[in-house]
Amino acid sequence: MYNVVLIRSNPVRPYPRLEKMANCLVKNGHNVTVLAWDRDMDYEPRNEQLKLKSGTVPIIRIGIKGQFSGGMKKNLRGLIKFQRFIYSWLKQHKSEFDVIHAYDFDTGYTALKFAKKHKKKIVYDIPDYYIDSHGLRGSCIGWLIKHMENSVINRADATVICTEERKKQIQGTHPHNLYVVHNTPDIDIEDQKDLNLDNEKLKLVYVGILGRTRFIDKIAEVVARRKDCEFHIGGFGGGLESYFENIDKEYENIYFYGRMPYDKTIALERACDVMCAIYDPSVPNHYYAAPNKFYEALALGKPLIMARNTGMASVVEKEGLGEVIEYNEESLNNAIDRLLHKKFQQNEVAKKAKRLYCNNYSWKKMETVIQELYSVI
Protein backbone atom coordinates (compact mmCIF):
# COMPACT_ATOMS: atom_id res chain seq x y z
CA MET A 1 0.00 0.00 0.00
CA TYR A 2 1.16 3.53 -0.79
CA ASN A 3 1.26 6.89 0.94
CA VAL A 4 -0.13 9.19 -1.76
CA VAL A 5 -0.12 12.99 -2.12
CA LEU A 6 -2.81 14.33 -4.46
CA ILE A 7 -2.22 17.88 -5.74
CA ARG A 8 -4.77 20.17 -7.40
CA SER A 9 -4.70 23.87 -8.31
CA ASN A 10 -8.13 24.58 -6.84
CA PRO A 11 -9.44 24.51 -3.25
CA VAL A 12 -11.16 21.09 -3.59
CA ARG A 13 -14.32 22.63 -2.22
CA PRO A 14 -15.62 20.57 -3.96
CA TYR A 15 -13.59 18.89 -6.71
CA PRO A 16 -15.31 15.54 -7.35
CA ARG A 17 -12.63 14.01 -9.59
CA LEU A 18 -9.98 14.25 -6.88
CA GLU A 19 -12.35 13.41 -4.03
CA LYS A 20 -13.51 10.21 -5.75
CA MET A 21 -9.91 9.21 -6.44
CA ALA A 22 -8.94 9.89 -2.82
CA ASN A 23 -11.91 7.91 -1.54
CA CYS A 24 -11.08 4.94 -3.77
CA LEU A 25 -7.47 4.95 -2.57
CA VAL A 26 -8.50 5.16 1.10
CA LYS A 27 -11.04 2.37 0.62
CA ASN A 28 -8.27 0.16 -0.77
CA GLY A 29 -5.90 0.75 2.13
CA HIS A 30 -3.72 3.61 0.86
CA ASN A 31 -2.92 6.70 2.96
CA VAL A 32 -3.85 9.99 1.31
CA THR A 33 -2.91 13.66 1.77
CA VAL A 34 -4.18 16.50 -0.44
CA LEU A 35 -2.50 19.79 -1.39
CA ALA A 36 -4.82 22.49 -2.75
CA TRP A 37 -4.76 26.11 -3.94
CA ASP A 38 -7.51 28.45 -2.70
CA ARG A 39 -7.69 31.51 -4.98
CA ASP A 40 -10.32 33.40 -2.99
CA MET A 41 -7.88 35.12 -0.62
CA ASP A 42 -4.28 35.15 0.63
CA TYR A 43 -3.39 33.06 3.68
CA GLU A 44 -0.65 30.79 4.98
CA PRO A 45 -0.99 26.99 4.54
CA ARG A 46 -3.79 25.55 6.67
CA ASN A 47 -3.95 21.95 7.85
CA GLU A 48 -7.60 20.96 7.45
CA GLN A 49 -9.66 17.79 6.98
CA LEU A 50 -11.37 16.56 3.82
CA LYS A 51 -14.38 14.34 4.51
CA LEU A 52 -14.80 11.38 2.19
CA LYS A 53 -17.23 8.46 2.14
CA SER A 54 -14.56 6.09 3.42
CA GLY A 55 -12.98 8.38 6.00
CA THR A 56 -11.28 11.71 6.54
CA VAL A 57 -7.93 12.72 5.05
CA PRO A 58 -5.61 15.69 5.67
CA ILE A 59 -5.84 18.54 3.18
CA ILE A 60 -3.35 21.41 3.19
CA ARG A 61 -4.84 24.50 1.56
CA ILE A 62 -2.77 27.57 0.75
CA GLY A 63 -4.47 30.88 -0.03
CA ILE A 64 -2.96 32.72 -2.99
CA LYS A 65 -5.28 35.33 -4.48
CA GLY A 66 -6.20 34.51 -8.06
CA GLN A 67 -9.13 34.17 -10.41
CA PHE A 68 -10.97 31.03 -11.53
CA SER A 69 -11.10 30.79 -15.33
CA GLY A 70 -8.84 33.85 -15.39
CA GLY A 71 -6.20 32.35 -17.66
CA MET A 72 -2.43 32.38 -17.26
CA LYS A 73 -1.92 36.15 -17.34
CA LYS A 74 -4.26 36.92 -14.44
CA ASN A 75 -2.97 34.00 -12.39
CA LEU A 76 0.75 34.00 -13.24
CA ARG A 77 1.90 35.42 -9.89
CA GLY A 78 -0.27 32.97 -7.97
CA LEU A 79 0.78 30.09 -10.19
CA ILE A 80 4.47 30.72 -9.51
CA LYS A 81 3.85 30.98 -5.75
CA PHE A 82 1.84 27.75 -5.81
CA GLN A 83 4.70 25.92 -7.59
CA ARG A 84 7.08 27.07 -4.85
CA PHE A 85 4.65 25.86 -2.21
CA ILE A 86 4.29 22.45 -3.89
CA TYR A 87 8.03 21.89 -4.11
CA SER A 88 8.70 23.19 -0.60
CA TRP A 89 5.98 21.03 0.99
CA LEU A 90 7.09 17.92 -0.89
CA LYS A 91 10.70 18.50 0.17
CA GLN A 92 9.79 19.00 3.83
CA HIS A 93 7.63 15.86 3.89
CA LYS A 94 9.54 13.63 1.45
CA SER A 95 9.84 10.77 3.94
CA GLU A 96 6.05 10.66 4.40
CA PHE A 97 4.89 9.63 0.91
CA ASP A 98 5.72 7.26 -1.96
CA VAL A 99 3.49 8.52 -4.78
CA ILE A 100 2.55 11.96 -6.11
CA HIS A 101 -0.77 12.07 -7.97
CA ALA A 102 -0.77 15.43 -9.79
CA TYR A 103 -3.69 16.99 -11.67
CA ASP A 104 -2.96 18.98 -14.84
CA PHE A 105 0.20 20.74 -15.97
CA ASP A 106 -0.05 23.47 -13.31
CA THR A 107 0.87 20.87 -10.69
CA GLY A 108 2.33 18.09 -12.85
CA TYR A 109 5.55 19.69 -14.07
CA THR A 110 6.77 20.69 -10.61
CA ALA A 111 5.65 17.34 -9.19
CA LEU A 112 7.58 15.48 -11.91
CA LYS A 113 10.77 17.44 -11.23
CA PHE A 114 10.56 16.57 -7.54
CA ALA A 115 9.58 12.93 -8.14
CA LYS A 116 12.49 12.20 -10.45
CA LYS A 117 15.02 13.93 -8.21
CA HIS A 118 13.85 12.13 -5.07
CA LYS A 119 12.88 8.77 -6.62
CA LYS A 120 9.15 8.97 -5.99
CA LYS A 121 6.40 7.47 -8.15
CA ILE A 122 4.25 9.94 -10.08
CA VAL A 123 0.76 9.58 -11.55
CA TYR A 124 -0.17 12.36 -13.97
CA ASP A 125 -3.94 12.96 -14.19
CA ILE A 126 -5.15 15.18 -17.07
CA PRO A 127 -8.65 16.62 -16.61
CA ASP A 128 -7.69 19.26 -19.23
CA TYR A 129 -4.77 19.39 -21.67
CA TYR A 130 -3.22 22.74 -20.82
CA ILE A 131 -2.68 24.46 -24.18
CA ASP A 132 -6.25 23.71 -25.28
CA SER A 133 -7.94 24.57 -22.00
CA HIS A 134 -6.05 27.90 -21.83
CA GLY A 135 -6.30 28.90 -25.51
CA LEU A 136 -2.54 28.68 -26.10
CA ARG A 137 -2.43 26.37 -29.12
CA GLY A 138 -0.45 27.95 -31.98
CA SER A 139 1.37 30.49 -29.79
CA CYS A 140 5.05 30.49 -28.84
CA ILE A 141 4.27 30.00 -25.15
CA GLY A 142 1.81 27.28 -26.17
CA TRP A 143 4.54 25.42 -28.08
CA LEU A 144 6.79 25.55 -25.01
CA ILE A 145 4.05 24.40 -22.61
CA LYS A 146 3.00 21.59 -24.95
CA HIS A 147 6.61 20.36 -25.04
CA MET A 148 6.84 20.55 -21.23
CA GLU A 149 3.48 18.85 -20.60
CA ASN A 150 4.26 16.09 -23.08
CA SER A 151 7.50 15.44 -21.21
CA VAL A 152 5.44 14.95 -18.02
CA ILE A 153 3.21 12.44 -19.84
CA ASN A 154 6.22 10.59 -21.25
CA ARG A 155 8.09 10.39 -17.94
CA ALA A 156 5.26 9.74 -15.47
CA ASP A 157 4.84 6.22 -14.09
CA ALA A 158 1.19 6.35 -15.17
CA THR A 159 -1.03 8.84 -16.99
CA VAL A 160 -4.79 9.21 -16.53
CA ILE A 161 -7.17 10.77 -19.07
CA CYS A 162 -10.94 11.20 -18.79
CA THR A 163 -12.19 9.82 -22.14
CA GLU A 164 -10.96 7.58 -24.94
CA GLU A 165 -11.15 10.61 -27.26
CA ARG A 166 -8.39 12.30 -25.25
CA LYS A 167 -5.90 9.84 -26.75
CA LYS A 168 -6.13 11.93 -29.95
CA GLN A 169 -5.45 15.12 -27.98
CA ILE A 170 -2.16 13.78 -26.58
CA GLN A 171 -1.13 12.16 -29.85
CA GLY A 172 2.64 12.04 -30.22
CA THR A 173 3.27 11.27 -26.55
CA HIS A 174 4.42 7.90 -25.24
CA PRO A 175 2.93 7.30 -21.77
CA HIS A 176 4.23 4.26 -19.87
CA ASN A 177 0.82 3.23 -18.50
CA LEU A 178 -2.26 5.00 -19.87
CA TYR A 179 -5.65 4.66 -18.16
CA VAL A 180 -9.09 6.17 -18.79
CA VAL A 181 -11.04 7.19 -15.68
CA HIS A 182 -14.32 8.84 -16.66
CA ASN A 183 -15.81 11.69 -14.60
CA THR A 184 -18.47 9.35 -13.29
CA PRO A 185 -20.28 10.33 -10.07
CA ASP A 186 -19.89 8.19 -6.97
CA ILE A 187 -23.38 8.67 -5.61
CA ASP A 188 -26.24 6.66 -4.17
CA ILE A 189 -29.20 8.02 -6.11
CA GLU A 190 -31.77 6.61 -3.72
CA ASP A 191 -30.24 8.54 -0.79
CA GLN A 192 -30.98 11.91 -2.40
CA LYS A 193 -33.81 13.95 -0.87
CA ASP A 194 -36.63 15.32 -3.01
CA LEU A 195 -36.66 19.13 -3.15
CA ASN A 196 -40.32 19.41 -4.24
CA LEU A 197 -39.79 21.97 -7.00
CA ASP A 198 -42.57 23.20 -9.31
CA ASN A 199 -43.77 20.23 -11.41
CA GLU A 200 -45.70 22.37 -13.88
CA LYS A 201 -42.68 23.96 -15.56
CA LEU A 202 -39.72 22.37 -17.34
CA LYS A 203 -36.74 22.82 -15.01
CA LEU A 204 -33.28 23.27 -16.56
CA VAL A 205 -30.24 23.03 -14.28
CA TYR A 206 -26.52 23.79 -14.36
CA VAL A 207 -24.06 23.66 -11.45
CA GLY A 208 -20.37 24.34 -12.05
CA ILE A 209 -17.88 27.05 -12.97
CA LEU A 210 -19.76 30.21 -13.95
CA GLY A 211 -17.78 30.85 -17.12
CA ARG A 212 -19.01 32.61 -20.26
CA THR A 213 -17.90 29.74 -22.49
CA ARG A 214 -20.53 27.54 -20.79
CA PHE A 215 -23.45 29.49 -22.43
CA ILE A 216 -25.11 29.83 -19.02
CA ASP A 217 -25.85 33.56 -19.29
CA LYS A 218 -27.57 32.87 -22.63
CA ILE A 219 -29.60 30.03 -21.10
CA ALA A 220 -30.78 32.46 -18.43
CA GLU A 221 -31.78 35.04 -21.05
CA VAL A 222 -33.72 32.48 -23.11
CA VAL A 223 -35.51 31.07 -20.05
CA ALA A 224 -36.28 34.55 -18.68
CA ARG A 225 -38.32 35.29 -21.82
CA ARG A 226 -40.44 32.15 -21.39
CA LYS A 227 -43.26 31.30 -18.98
CA ASP A 228 -43.11 27.51 -19.30
CA CYS A 229 -39.68 26.74 -17.83
CA GLU A 230 -37.19 27.60 -15.09
CA PHE A 231 -33.40 27.75 -14.86
CA HIS A 232 -31.73 26.58 -11.65
CA ILE A 233 -28.05 27.47 -11.43
CA GLY A 234 -25.29 27.05 -8.87
CA GLY A 235 -21.53 27.45 -8.87
CA PHE A 236 -18.71 29.95 -8.54
CA GLY A 237 -15.82 31.56 -10.43
CA GLY A 238 -15.74 32.61 -14.06
CA GLY A 239 -16.88 36.18 -13.41
CA LEU A 240 -20.66 35.70 -13.62
CA GLU A 241 -21.65 35.54 -9.93
CA SER A 242 -22.94 39.13 -9.85
CA TYR A 243 -24.85 38.63 -13.09
CA PHE A 244 -26.75 35.65 -11.66
CA GLU A 245 -27.33 37.32 -8.30
CA ASN A 246 -29.03 40.18 -10.15
CA ILE A 247 -31.03 38.15 -12.68
CA ASP A 248 -32.28 35.91 -9.86
CA LYS A 249 -33.88 39.00 -8.28
CA GLU A 250 -35.29 40.26 -11.58
CA TYR A 251 -37.01 37.10 -12.87
CA GLU A 252 -39.16 34.68 -10.91
CA ASN A 253 -38.13 31.69 -13.06
CA ILE A 254 -34.35 32.09 -12.55
CA TYR A 255 -32.92 30.60 -9.33
CA PHE A 256 -29.29 31.16 -8.29
CA TYR A 257 -27.86 29.08 -5.42
CA GLY A 258 -24.19 30.15 -5.39
CA ARG A 259 -21.46 27.68 -4.44
CA MET A 260 -22.94 24.28 -3.57
CA PRO A 261 -21.52 21.16 -1.90
CA TYR A 262 -21.63 18.08 -4.10
CA ASP A 263 -24.47 16.31 -2.29
CA LYS A 264 -26.70 19.37 -2.70
CA THR A 265 -25.66 19.64 -6.36
CA ILE A 266 -26.86 16.10 -7.01
CA ALA A 267 -30.08 16.71 -5.05
CA LEU A 268 -30.84 19.80 -7.17
CA GLU A 269 -30.05 17.99 -10.43
CA ARG A 270 -32.28 15.10 -9.40
CA ALA A 271 -35.16 17.51 -8.70
CA CYS A 272 -34.87 19.18 -12.13
CA ASP A 273 -35.91 17.85 -15.54
CA VAL A 274 -33.08 18.70 -17.94
CA MET A 275 -29.35 19.14 -17.39
CA CYS A 276 -27.25 21.61 -19.39
CA ALA A 277 -23.65 21.14 -20.51
CA ILE A 278 -23.45 23.62 -23.39
CA TYR A 279 -19.78 24.42 -24.00
CA ASP A 280 -18.41 26.75 -26.68
CA PRO A 281 -17.30 24.49 -29.59
CA SER A 282 -14.77 27.12 -30.75
CA VAL A 283 -12.64 26.31 -27.66
CA PRO A 284 -10.42 23.37 -28.74
CA ASN A 285 -10.51 21.71 -25.32
CA HIS A 286 -14.31 21.52 -25.39
CA TYR A 287 -14.16 19.05 -28.29
CA TYR A 288 -12.53 16.62 -25.85
CA ALA A 289 -14.49 17.68 -22.76
CA ALA A 290 -15.92 15.07 -20.40
CA PRO A 291 -18.36 17.19 -18.39
CA ASN A 292 -19.37 15.91 -14.96
CA LYS A 293 -22.89 16.88 -16.04
CA PHE A 294 -22.90 14.24 -18.78
CA TYR A 295 -22.16 11.41 -16.35
CA GLU A 296 -24.42 12.80 -13.63
CA ALA A 297 -27.28 13.00 -16.13
CA LEU A 298 -26.80 9.34 -17.08
CA ALA A 299 -26.70 8.24 -13.44
CA LEU A 300 -29.78 10.32 -12.60
CA GLY A 301 -31.64 9.37 -15.78
CA LYS A 302 -32.01 12.97 -16.98
CA PRO A 303 -31.99 14.28 -20.57
CA LEU A 304 -29.14 16.61 -21.53
CA ILE A 305 -28.71 19.66 -23.72
CA MET A 306 -25.21 19.84 -25.26
CA ALA A 307 -23.58 21.84 -28.05
CA ARG A 308 -22.66 20.10 -31.29
CA ASN A 309 -18.96 19.22 -31.71
CA THR A 310 -18.25 19.20 -27.98
CA GLY A 311 -17.22 16.25 -25.83
CA MET A 312 -19.84 13.48 -25.39
CA ALA A 313 -22.47 15.34 -27.50
CA SER A 314 -22.18 12.59 -30.11
CA VAL A 315 -23.21 10.03 -27.46
CA VAL A 316 -26.26 12.12 -26.52
CA GLU A 317 -27.28 12.38 -30.18
CA LYS A 318 -26.61 8.74 -31.05
CA GLU A 319 -28.41 7.34 -27.99
CA GLY A 320 -31.30 9.82 -28.02
CA LEU A 321 -30.53 11.16 -24.54
CA GLY A 322 -31.58 14.77 -25.05
CA GLU A 323 -30.88 17.60 -27.47
CA VAL A 324 -27.70 18.53 -29.33
CA ILE A 325 -27.86 22.17 -30.43
CA GLU A 326 -25.94 24.81 -32.33
CA TYR A 327 -24.21 27.30 -30.04
CA ASN A 328 -26.86 30.02 -30.24
CA GLU A 329 -30.03 31.15 -28.46
CA GLU A 330 -32.45 30.24 -31.26
CA SER A 331 -31.24 26.64 -31.32
CA LEU A 332 -31.57 26.42 -27.53
CA ASN A 333 -35.08 27.87 -27.63
CA ASN A 334 -36.13 25.30 -30.23
CA ALA A 335 -34.59 22.50 -28.15
CA ILE A 336 -36.63 23.57 -25.11
CA ASP A 337 -39.78 23.44 -27.27
CA ARG A 338 -38.95 19.88 -28.35
CA LEU A 339 -38.20 18.79 -24.79
CA LEU A 340 -41.54 20.16 -23.61
CA HIS A 341 -43.33 18.20 -26.34
CA LYS A 342 -41.40 15.03 -25.44
CA LYS A 343 -41.82 15.33 -21.68
CA PHE A 344 -43.98 12.19 -21.69
CA GLN A 345 -40.94 10.22 -22.94
CA GLN A 346 -38.81 11.00 -19.88
CA ASN A 347 -39.19 7.53 -18.35
CA GLU A 348 -37.90 5.95 -21.56
CA VAL A 349 -34.89 8.32 -21.63
CA ALA A 350 -34.21 7.62 -17.95
CA LYS A 351 -34.07 3.86 -18.50
CA LYS A 352 -31.79 4.24 -21.51
CA ALA A 353 -29.45 6.67 -19.71
CA LYS A 354 -29.13 4.53 -16.58
CA ARG A 355 -28.48 1.41 -18.65
CA LEU A 356 -25.68 3.18 -20.54
CA TYR A 357 -24.24 4.42 -17.24
CA CYS A 358 -24.21 0.94 -15.69
CA ASN A 359 -22.77 -0.77 -18.76
CA ASN A 360 -20.07 1.76 -19.70
CA TYR A 361 -19.34 4.36 -17.05
CA SER A 362 -20.31 3.25 -13.54
CA TRP A 363 -18.00 4.29 -10.71
CA LYS A 364 -17.51 0.64 -9.76
CA LYS A 365 -15.90 0.12 -13.17
CA MET A 366 -13.72 3.20 -12.66
CA GLU A 367 -12.60 1.94 -9.24
CA THR A 368 -11.39 -1.27 -10.89
CA VAL A 369 -9.30 0.83 -13.30
CA ILE A 370 -7.79 2.82 -10.39
CA GLN A 371 -6.94 -0.36 -8.50
CA GLU A 372 -5.17 -1.75 -11.55
CA LEU A 373 -3.28 1.53 -12.06
CA TYR A 374 -1.95 1.53 -8.50
CA SER A 375 -0.98 -2.13 -8.75
CA VAL A 376 1.37 -1.59 -11.72
CA ILE A 377 3.28 1.60 -10.83
Side-chain angles (χ1 to χ4, degrees):
M1 297 303 165
Y2 288 119
N3 297 311
V4 186
V5 178
L6 291 91
I7 313 176
R8 185 60 171 137
S9 62
N10 70 37
V12 190
R13 198 188 288 128
Y15 183 59
R17 187 170 177 86
L18 181 149
E19 291 168 271
K20 289 178 295 182
M21 178 66 70
N23 190 70
C24 178
L25 293 174
V26 169
K27 193 162 73 171
N28 285 280
H30 302 287
N31 297 310
V32 169
T33 301
V34 179
L35 304 185
W37 174 12
D38 185 350
R39 305 184 195 195
D40 286 344
M41 65 184 78
D42 291 312
Y43 57 81
E44 293 299 309
R46 294 175 180 170
N47 294 307
E48 300 175 334
Q49 296 294 310
L50 181 64
K51 291 183 180 179
L52 306 169
K53 280 188 174 183
S54 298
T56 302
V57 300
I59 179 168
I60 296 88
R61 291 187 175 100
I62 184 169
I64 306 169
K65 185 69 175 173
Q67 184 176 324
F68 286 100
S69 302
M72 275 193 72
K73 287 184 180 178
K74 292 182 180 178
N75 286 302
L76 187 58
R77 169 189 161 273
L79 188 59
I80 292 169
K81 287 186 73 173
F82 187 55
Q83 304 312 302
R84 290 174 180 162
F85 165 71
I86 292 171
Y87 201 93
S88 173
W89 191 95
L90 293 175
K91 188 174 181 180
Q92 288 176 33
H93 299 268
K94 64 183 179 182
S95 64
E96 300 171 20
F97 62 89
D98 318 296
V99 181
I100 306 170
H101 190 125
Y103 288 82
D104 276 343
F105 176 72
D106 52 15
T107 71
Y109 191 75
T110 297
L112 177 79
K113 290 295 185 186
F114 182 90
K116 294 306 176 185
K117 183 175 180 179
H118 296 277
K119 298 180 180 176
K120 303 291 184 180
K121 302 285 187 181
I122 180 165
V123 177
Y124 185 46
D125 203 322
I126 314 174
D128 293 297
Y129 193 54
Y130 209 78
I131 60 167
D132 288 336
S133 62
H134 288 73
L136 299 172
R137 187 174 285 275
S139 66
C140 292
I141 186 68
W143 179 88
L144 177 62
I145 288 175
K146 178 181 178 179
H147 176 77
M148 294 168 72
E149 181 162 22
N150 286 356
S151 76
V152 179
I153 295 169
N154 291 337
R155 298 177 67 196
D157 296 284
T159 298
V160 185
I161 54 178
C162 52
T163 67
E164 293 287 343
E165 283 292 310
R166 292 276 174 133
K167 291 177 181 177
K168 298 175 187 174
Q169 195 177 28
I170 62 169
Q171 209 163 23
T173 63
H174 305 283
H176 293 297
N177 296 289
L178 183 63
Y179 292 89
V180 176
V181 177
H182 289 275
N183 286 327
T184 309
D186 179 18
I187 52 175
D188 188 338
I189 304 301
E190 302 310 317
D191 282 350
Q192 303 302 315
K193 295 179 181 178
D194 288 323
L195 299 185
N196 298 318
L197 301 181
D198 186 350
N199 287 323
E200 297 301 315
K201 295 180 180 179
L202 187 75
K203 298 176 291 297
L204 282 67
V205 61
Y206 170 90
V207 182
I209 297 295
L210 304 178
R212 293 186 185 278
T213 59
R214 306 286 176 99
F215 205 65
I216 46 179
D217 51 338
K218 302 303 180 186
I219 300 172
E221 289 167 17
V222 168
V223 170
R225 294 193 292 265
R226 302 181 64 120
K227 303 296 183 185
D228 52 5
C229 56
E230 299 173 345
F231 186 33
H232 296 258
I233 183 163
F236 64 97
L240 287 174
E241 290 101 327
S242 296
Y243 170 83
F244 283 108
E245 286 169 1
N246 292 331
I247 201 170
D248 170 273
K249 295 170 186 172
E250 188 175 350
Y251 295 95
E252 62 179 17
N253 61 342
I254 306 291
Y255 299 85
F256 180 54
Y257 300 85
R259 189 193 292 259
M260 302 178 72
Y262 195 57
D263 59 336
K264 287 188 168 51
T265 295
I266 296 299
L268 178 62
E269 290 172 347
R270 188 187 186 207
C272 290
D273 302 305
V274 180
M275 292 177 59
C276 300
I278 307 172
Y279 292 4
D280 185 349
S282 70
V283 177
N285 199 55
H286 289 170
Y287 178 78
Y288 298 101
N292 289 339
K293 307 303 128 198
F294 169 80
Y295 301 99
E296 290 161 7
L298 295 188
L300 293 165
K302 301 292 181 180
L304 267 160
I305 303 177
M306 299 190 78
R308 195 174 306 283
N309 296 322
T310 60
M312 312 311 278
S314 59
V315 178
V316 171
E317 193 163 42
K318 179 184 175 184
E319 301 292 340
L321 300 174
E323 294 288 332
V324 175
I325 67 169
E326 303 304 322
Y327 194 70
N328 61 60
E329 292 182 40
E330 181 183 1
S331 189
L332 171 63
N333 202 51
N334 293 337
I336 293 172
D337 287 339
R338 289 191 294 273
L339 287 164
L340 280 163
H341 290 143
K342 293 188 291 187
K343 203 172 179 184
F344 65 91
Q345 297 177 357
Q346 279 188 347
N347 286 340
E348 182 185 329
V349 171
K351 288 177 185 176
K352 214 186 310 186
K354 289 178 180 179
R355 186 165 58 247
L356 185 64
Y357 168 79
C358 291
N359 291 342
N360 293 25
Y361 305 114
S362 76
W363 184 246
K364 283 186 179 178
K365 290 181 181 292
M366 298 305 108
E367 285 188 315
T368 302
V369 174
I370 294 166
Q371 289 170 38
E372 182 186 335
L373 185 166
Y374 270 84
S375 72
V376 302
I377 60 173

